[in-house]
Amino acid sequence: MLALDLLVNGLIFGLFYALMAVGLAMIFGVLKVVNFAHGEFYMIGSYAYVLIALKLGIPPWLALPLAALTGGALGWLVERLLMRPLYAGHGSWSSSKDEYAVVVTFGLSLLLVNLVDKIVGPYPFRGPVLIETSRFSIGPVMLNGQKLIAAGVSLCLLIGLALFIKRSLWGRQIQAVAQNRLGASLAGIDATRTTSMVFVISGMMAALAGALLAPLINPGPDVGAFPAIKSYVIVVLGGMGSIWGGMAAALILGVCESFFAVYVSYAYRDAFGLMLLILVLLVRPQGMFGEKGREL
Amino acid sequence: MNVARIAALLGLALTGYAGSGMAADPIAIGISIAQSPPGSVVQGTQVKDAVEIVKDMVNAKGGVLGRQIKLIYEDNQGIPEKGRAAAEKLITKDKVVAIAGGHQSSVCLAEIEVAHRYNNPYINTNCWSDDVRKKGYPEVFNPANYNTRVSSAMTDTIIAMGVKSVVAFAENTDYGIGQAKITGEMLKARAPGVSYKYETVDRAGKDFTPAILPLRANPPEMVITIMLPPAAYIVMNQLYEQGVAPSAKTWLYDGSGLADYPDFWQNVKEAGKYMVSFALYHPQMATPKIGLDVAAEYLKRTKNEPNRLIFQAADSLLLIVDAIKEAKSTDSAAIIKALQTMKFSGVRGPFQFGKQPGYGYQQWVDIPYVNYQLTEVNQPISKTNLIQAPGQALDVKKLVRPAK
C-alpha cells in the first residue's frame, strides 16, 4: 500500500517536474544556452494566478490561462529584449554567447525575485483551488482534488505540446531550427520568429506549472529556485534539449525520489537526484535519452 | 571694538554654538536582517517594522543623551557569510554603537564572531539556537527565546498530555536540528517511555509527502513542527491532506509560533484547525503600557496584529537605548557593562540577563510563554483556546480533539 502511495505521489510530482523542465529543454534545444531565469517564469506564473484570482476576484479557471499568458508575454519580452543579441546580428556578442546568456539570465533571475519581493511583499500566498474538494481517497491512495486536477492538466498539456511539436507546422519549424539553425533559415523558416515562439511556449509552460501548484506550495518570491534546480537536473538526465527525454527523466526522477526518501533517506532525497546526474554523466554523457542529440 | 561689532561676534558665536548642538551626530545602531530571499524576509520585515516604531518613539522624546538615533540596515539575505560581511561593515564603516535584528540562528552565529572580535554589543533579536549563548561572548545579549526553553515547554506539554509516541519535522538549520535534538534529550531524561524521532527536512522543500506517507500506516500520537514558513505551511497542508494530523489519533503541535504570522490562515486554512501551539505572545498575557503603545502603533501602520517578533525586536532596540542612558556613553565597553548589570523593563515586562554559562548566558532565562489551541479556521489569537497561561500548568481538559 505504501509503495502504491509512493508511486502515485512520485508520478504526480514527476508530471509537475516535466511541465517545468520542458520549457528549459526547448530553449536549450533551439539556442543551446541555459536559461537561469526559468524558475522565475514559474514564480511569475504562481503570482499572476494568485493575484489575478485573489486580488481581482477572477475565477481560478480563468486566472489559469491568464497566468499562462503572463508567462508567455514574459518569455516573449525576454527573448525580444535580452536573448536576441545572441543570434541576430551581434557578431561580437555571439562569439561569447554562453557567457552572455549566463550573465543576462542570472541577472534577470535576481531582478525578478527582488522586484516581486519589493512590489508584492515577502509573505507567501496560497493560491485558490480550482475545485473545492476535501481530501479523498482512491483505494488506498489519499489525495486532494487540487493535486489530482493539477496532475491531469499537466498531463494534457504535455501531451498537447508533444503533438504540437510533432505534428504542427510550427512544431516542425521548431524541430528544424533546433537541428540546424542556418539550414532551417536557408529552407525559408523564420528562425527568429521560431525562437520567439519557443520562449513564449517555455514561459507559458513554466507559468502554468507555477499556477497549478500555487494552491499546494504556498509561493513566495523565491519559490522558483527549487523547481529550477530540478529542471536543470532533468534536462541533463534526459539529454540536453530533448523534450521526450526530459519528460521521461522527470517521471523517473519523481518516482525514484519518492521511493528513495522512504526506503533510503528522506534527508538525502534531493541529493539523490544529483547523484543520479553524476552517474548518468559518467556513464552516458549524452543523457539517458540523448541518442538523437539535441533534436526536438 | 564698538558695541555693534561685539554684538555681531557674540551673535555669530551663539549661532554657531546652537548650530553645532542642533546638528549633533545621531547615534548609529546597526540592524542586520533578511530583506531579500533566501532568508526569511517575512521575519526581517517584522523586525524592521518594530524597530522603526521604537526609533520614532525614542526620537520624538528627544532621543538619547540629547542625540537622535539612526538605524542603519544591512540585508543579510539569511546567509551566514552575508551576515558576517554585514556586521563587519556596520562596525568598521558605519561605526554603529551596537547591532541588533538577527532573526536566523545560522546568521547570528556568524555575526557574533565579528561582534566579539570588535567588542561591539550585539543584541540577539530572534535567534533561538542555544549555541548563540553557549559561545559565552560578553558582547552578546539575548532577550530572544531559546531552544532549551521551547524544548522544555514542549516536553512538559507532551508529558501532561500523556502522549506516548512523537514524530517531529525539523528544518535543516541550526535552529531546527538543535531544537529537535534537545527535545529528544529532554524526553529521554524526563519521559523515557515516550517514543520520539525526528525527520530533518529542507526548508526550501516543496514536497514532504514521502516523509509523511509512512505515518499513515503507523500514526504517532503527536506530530511536532519545528520549522518556519513557507515550508512549515506546506508540511501542515500535506499532513492534513494525508489525514495524518491533526486527527482523532494524532495531535499537531507547533513549536515555532507559526500561528501568529500574519499570513498563517491564508496559507493553511483547514490544516491549522485543532493545532496546538507553543507561543511567546498571547493578548491575555500581561503587557506593560509601552508594549501596548508599540502594539497599537504596529496595528496602525501595518494593519496586522502584533506578534512576539514585534515585541522582541522592540525590546532589542529599547535595550540598546536604555544601556546608552545607563552608561551615559556610547562607548562599547560602557554599553556592555550597563547591559550586564541593569534591570531592564521593556515591552514584555521587566527582566535581567542571566550569568550562568551555557544556554542561560546573558539570556532572559524565564522568558514567558503560553500554549493555546486553534479551534476554528481564521481564528484570531485573542480567541484561541488558551490551555496554558504564563507560569501556569497546562490544562489538558481544555483540549479539543478532531472528530476524525
Side-chain angles (χ1 to χ4, degrees):
Chain A
M1 193 191 295
L2 177 60
L4 185 60
D5 266 333
L6 292 171
L7 179 67
V8 171
N9 187 66
L11 284 172
I12 287 175
F13 268 86
L15 283 170
F16 299 150
Y17 290 165
L19 196 59
M20 179 71 198
V22 75
L24 195 68
M26 285 177 74
I27 289 176
F28 189 86
V30 169
L31 277 186
K32 318 295 183 249
V33 294
V34 177
N35 175 17
F36 283 102
H38 193 66
E40 280 54 60
F41 285 34
Y42 171 95
M43 179 267 288
I44 293 290
S46 292
Y47 269 87
Y49 172 74
V50 172
L51 295 177
I52 289 168
L54 292 184
K55 303 289 179 192
L56 302 181
I58 290 174
W61 279 105
L62 205 53
L64 195 64
L66 290 174
L69 286 177
T70 308
L74 179 67
W76 180 80
L77 273 175
V78 168
E79 189 280 331
R80 187 70 191 81
L81 300 176
L82 301 176
M83 304 307 280
R84 197 161 288 188
L86 285 176
Y87 56 88
H90 298 268
S92 58
W93 291 17
S94 60
S95 64
S96 54
K97 71 172 193 171
D98 291 340
E99 293 87 337
Y100 173 85
V102 168
V103 171
V104 82
T105 59
F106 199 69
L108 178 66
S109 163
L110 292 174
L111 175 72
L112 289 174
V113 170
N114 284 283
L115 271 182
V116 169
D117 181 45
K118 298 298 175 239
I119 294 169
V120 186
Y123 296 100
F125 283 95
R126 188 180 184 189
V129 292
L130 288 166
I131 186 165
E132 282 293 345
T133 54
S134 178
R135 60 193 178 200
F136 63 94
S137 56
I138 300 176
V141 180
M142 186 77 86
L143 288 167
N144 78 5
Q146 176 64 28
K147 202 183 234 184
L148 202 60
I149 285 176
V153 173
S154 300
L155 185 63
C156 293
L157 285 167
L158 289 167
I159 292 171
L161 180 68
L163 290 173
F164 171 79
I165 299 288
K166 190 88 179 165
R167 302 281 169 83
S168 75
L169 177 63
W170 285 352
R172 286 176 184 153
Q173 288 179 354
I174 291 173
Q175 289 185 62
V177 174
Q179 284 171 19
N180 188 324
R181 188 175 196 91
L182 181 62
S185 297
L186 290 173
I189 293 171
D190 185 342
T192 301
R193 194 192 62 185
T194 305
T195 308
S196 212
M197 188 162 55
V198 164
F199 266 85
V200 170
I201 293 170
S202 173
M204 289 176 83
M205 286 290 167
L208 274 168
L212 286 167
L213 287 178
L216 303 172
I217 51 145
N218 306 59
D222 59 343
V223 72
F226 183 80
I229 291 168
K230 296 282 177 202
S231 298
Y232 302 139
V233 172
I234 288 162
V235 167
V236 180
L237 281 180
M240 297 288 275
S242 165
I243 288 187
W244 314 108
M247 287 183 191
L251 292 173
I252 290 170
L253 184 68
V255 172
C256 287
E257 275 187 351
S258 205
F259 278 86
F260 184 92
V262 171
Y263 294 112
V264 184
S265 162
Y266 182 82
Y268 289 96
R269 182 179 70 148
D270 293 323
F272 169 74
L274 298 170
M275 287 189 304
L276 195 63
L277 178 71
I278 293 169
L279 193 69
V280 167
L281 284 175
L282 286 172
V283 178
R284 197 175 163 78
Q286 71 272 36
M288 286 192 288
F289 304 91
E291 287 96 347
K292 292 185 179 176
R294 291 167 180 168
E295 281 182 20
L296 280 166
Chain B
M1 189 180 283
N2 61 29
V3 175
R5 288 181 67 184
I6 292 168
L9 282 170
L10 271 171
L12 274 172
L14 284 170
T15 311
Y17 176 77
S20 68
M22 294 279 282
D25 285 342
I27 298 171
I29 296 168
I31 306 290
S32 176
I33 50 177
Q35 292 182 285
S36 53
S40 176
V41 186
V42 170
Q43 288 192 346
T45 304
Q46 291 180 341
V47 171
K48 187 177 181 185
D49 288 342
V51 293
E52 280 293 315
I53 289 169
V54 171
K55 180 199 78 176
D56 292 345
M57 287 168 77
V58 171
N59 284 344
K61 287 181 183 170
V64 56
L65 303 183
R67 294 162 69 184
Q68 297 281 289
I69 56 171
K70 180 175 81 170
L71 302 181
I72 300 176
Y73 292 96
E74 278 298 316
D75 178 11
N76 61 43
Q77 295 184 280
I79 299 170
E81 299 77 25
K82 301 245 178 185
R84 187 183 285 263
E88 188 91 31
K89 187 237 172 197
L90 286 168
I91 295 169
T92 60
K93 181 166 178 282
D94 300 318
K95 310 289 183 197
V96 298
V97 300
I99 295 177
H103 55 91
Q104 287 183 256
S105 293
S106 50
V107 181
C108 277
L109 283 164
E111 290 178 344
I112 62 173
E113 295 298 334
V114 182
H116 178 55
R117 181 150 39 92
Y118 290 103
N119 301 315
N120 196 280
Y122 185 96
I123 310 295
N124 165 14
T125 295
N126 187 50
C127 297
W128 289 17
S129 171
D130 286 352
D131 292 342
V132 177
R133 290 86 179 159
K134 286 179 179 170
K135 293 265 183 184
Y137 291 159
E139 298 82 7
V140 180
F141 295 87
N142 303 282
N145 187 37
Y146 55 108
N147 275 350
T148 293
R149 184 70 166 166
V150 188
S151 292
S152 172
M154 289 200 297
T155 303
D156 287 343
T157 305
I158 290 164
I159 293 169
M161 289 172 71
V163 167
K164 295 294 176 208
S165 56
V166 179
V167 172
F169 287 91
E171 65 175 37
N172 58 345
T173 59
D174 290 298
Y175 149 66
I177 295 169
Q179 181 85 84
K181 281 184 178 169
I182 297 168
T183 305
E185 287 162 13
M186 285 194 173
L187 278 170
K188 197 173 174 184
R190 292 167 53 192
V194 175
S195 132
Y196 171 83
K197 69 170 188 172
Y198 68 90
E199 192 75 74
T200 310
V201 294
D202 186 355
R203 72 172 182 171
K206 304 294 173 201
D207 175 28
F208 304 100
T209 319
I212 292 167
L213 283 174
L215 304 183
R216 271 183 54 203
N218 195 12
E221 289 182 43
M222 178 182 277
V223 170
I224 295 177
T225 51
I226 307 172
M227 306 176 69
L228 295 181
Y233 297 154
I234 301 172
V235 164
M236 285 179 64
N237 288 329
Q238 293 178 356
L239 281 165
Y240 175 75
E241 173 196 310
Q242 292 299 326
V244 171
S247 69
K249 286 181 187 166
T250 306
W251 297 102
L252 176 63
Y253 186 28
D254 164 53
S256 316
L258 290 174
D260 62 14
Y261 280 84
D263 57 348
F264 175 77
W265 283 115
Q266 200 280 327
N267 280 284
V268 299
K269 298 188 173 78
E270 286 287 334
K273 190 176 172 184
Y274 299 115
M275 182 179 89
V276 180
S277 182
F278 166 89
L280 295 158
Y281 171 69
H282 191 281
Q284 289 182 31
M285 290 168 88
T287 307
K289 183 180 176 303
I290 189 171
L292 297 174
D293 290 345
V294 168
E297 186 62 22
Y298 178 72
L299 184 63
K300 188 175 145 195
R301 290 189 188 188
T302 67
K303 310 285 181 282
N304 290 325
E305 292 287 335
N307 63 19
R308 44 103 185 170
L309 192 50
I310 301 304
F311 293 112
Q312 288 170 207
D315 269 345
S316 299
L317 187 53
L318 282 170
L319 264 167
I320 297 170
V321 169
D322 277 16
I324 294 170
K325 272 186 207 164
E326 179 89 8
K328 298 183 177 62
S329 165
T330 55
D331 174 65
S332 296
I335 293 173
I336 289 168
K337 193 175 175 194
L339 283 165
Q340 284 170 334
T341 54
M342 73 184 197
K343 285 182 181 168
F344 173 72
S345 191
V347 297
R348 295 169 293 167
F351 66 86
Q352 197 168 8
F353 290 116
K355 293 179 172 57
Q356 291 295 315
Y359 65 77
Y361 185 68
Q362 301 199 153
Q363 166 68 47
W364 180 8
V365 179
D366 299 322
I367 194 164
Y369 68 87
V370 295
N371 274 296
Y372 57 75
Q373 187 181 25
L374 306 160
T375 51
E376 293 296 335
V377 176
N378 293 326
Q379 192 170 48
I381 301 293
S382 56
K383 303 275 193 252
T384 55
N385 183 12
L386 189 64
I387 54 173
Q388 184 178 23
Q392 305 291 311
L394 187 126
D395 188 351
V396 185
K397 288 180 200 150
K398 285 186 174 176
L399 285 164
V400 183
R401 263 194 191 275
K404 57 178 182 177

